[in-house]
Amino acid sequence: MKSRNTIEEYHEYRDKIGNRTELYRIVAKRYGVASALYPGSHIDIAPSLVIPKVIYVDNFKGAINFFKNMEMIKKYIAENKEYEKPSDIVFMGQDYSEELDVEPVDLIISQYAGFVGQETKKYLNTGGILLCNDSHGDATLSRFDDDFEFLGVIGKNNRIIDTKLDDYFVLPRSKNVDLVKVKEKMKEPKYKLIAENYLFRKIK
Ligand SMILES: C[S@@+](CC[C@H](N)C(=O)[O-])C[C@H]1O[C@@H](n2cnc3c(N)ncnc32)[C@H](O)[C@@H]1O
């Protein structure tokens, strides 16, 4: 049987998770993002289509094997990217909670990969943006972290909403959010109002 090539593998993965290029594009445009760190990226290389420098980090064997074909990935990105500059793509096949040899970036991407914001915020420029979902509670931890300012949410239509933010991260009957439990369970609390993605700015 002919083995799948790297780009076919990426396209299959993209079809499975949904194409996130528009999501990354609107965030990169709104906040003038030139560099990003994507811990727990697996093989979601869509950020490189819209952001010139992206560092991907994942310790899963499948991701490590995928990024071994870096020349093919770079060629694909060069042919499809939306910016003028040459692209700079780096992959680190390691645990993102261990020390990463990277310069501070403008954006950190956290998608279904644990407490990425908490573990890697030290690599985010002050003023930089954290884009995260709350599938494992990463957005919740960021919301109650003084290092971050809650900027907005992004729904299914990929529009940034920055109004009525006090309506998010609110539990029924105004119960307090139990952060210890969130860390233990790695699950988002059942809030009254939720969004697909959340945006935070690092303020310290
Ligand atoms: C559910 S997948 C999500 C992948 C991608 N972010 C997406 O949304 O399509 C989670 C990925 O995070 C990676 N991951 C989880 N914890 C990690 C860690 N501590 N260090 C490096 N990679 C990690 C896993 O190997 C896996 O590839």
Side-chain angles (χ1 to χ4, degrees):
M1 193 174 80
K2 187 174 170 287
S3 64
R4 284 174 307 165
N5 83 26
T6 305
I7 302 310
E8 280 167 4
E9 186 183 349
Y10 165 59
H11 283 161
E12 275 176 30
Y13 186 68
R14 185 187 64 184
D15 292 345
K16 197 175 90 184
I17 64 168
N19 192 342
R20 301 209 190 111
T21 310
E22 173 69 8
L23 169 67
Y24 300 138
R25 183 189 293 124
I26 59 151
V27 173
K29 274 206 175 137
R30 167 73 78 98
Y31 301 104
V33 171
S35 60
L37 176 65
Y38 190 170
S41 58
H42 192 55
I43 65 167
D44 176 20
I45 55 172
S48 289
L49 294 169
V50 292
I51 301 168
K53 176 170 179 131
V54 185
I55 302 149
Y56 299 87
V57 185
D58 204 299
N59 59 0
F60 176 60
K61 210 171 111 205
I64 293 170
N65 282 336
F66 174 84
F67 279 98
K68 277 184 185 153
N69 298 310
M70 189 56 103
E71 285 319 303
M72 221 180 262
I73 294 167
K74 284 186 172 165
K75 184 167 177 285
Y76 172 79
I77 295 297
E79 286 168 0
N80 293 282
K81 67 184 170 65
E82 298 180 8
Y83 46 86
E84 290 297 314
K85 283 173 100 174
S87 69
D88 183 350
I89 306 169
V90 174
F91 173 70
M92 304 170 101
Q94 66 168 88
D95 189 319
Y96 64 65
S97 61
E98 284 166 11
E99 202 59 30
L100 300 175
D101 185 14
V102 296
E103 297 289 313
V105 293
D106 299 333
L107 171 73
I108 287 181
I109 299 169
S110 167
Q111 298 285 295
Y112 308 97
F115 302 134
V116 166
Q118 297 299 300
E119 295 286 355
T120 64
K121 62 183 176 182
K122 59 181 171 233
Y123 307 109
L124 186 58
N125 282 316
T126 304
I129 303 296
L130 170 67
L131 165 68
C132 61
N133 63 24
D134 206 26
S135 78
H136 295 157
D138 202 30
T140 291
L141 297 188
S142 308
R143 172 66 184 86
F144 297 101
D145 179 345
D146 288 344
D147 287 346
F148 288 116
E149 174 193 3
F150 180 30
L151 287 184
V153 302
I154 306 178
K156 280 206 173 77
N157 56 7
N158 286 323
R159 276 216 211 102
I160 296 174
I161 298 164
D162 56 10
T163 54
K164 297 195 174 172
L165 296 183
D166 288 343
D167 293 352
Y168 294 89
F169 302 102
V170 174
L171 287 169
R173 287 173 275 120
S174 304
K175 269 178 72 183
N176 283 336
V177 178
D178 184 344
L179 295 182
V180 174
K181 198 164 143 200
V182 172
K183 284 180 196 161
E184 248 169 50
K185 304 244 176 220
M186 290 191 89
K187 253 179 100 178
E188 70 183 307
K190 291 197 167 68
Y191 295 120
K192 289 207 278 190
L193 180 63
I194 56 168
E196 299 280 302
N197 277 287
Y198 300 83
L199 290 161
F200 299 90
R201 188 189 298 283
K202 188 176 164 188
I203 52 172
K204 287 187 192 167

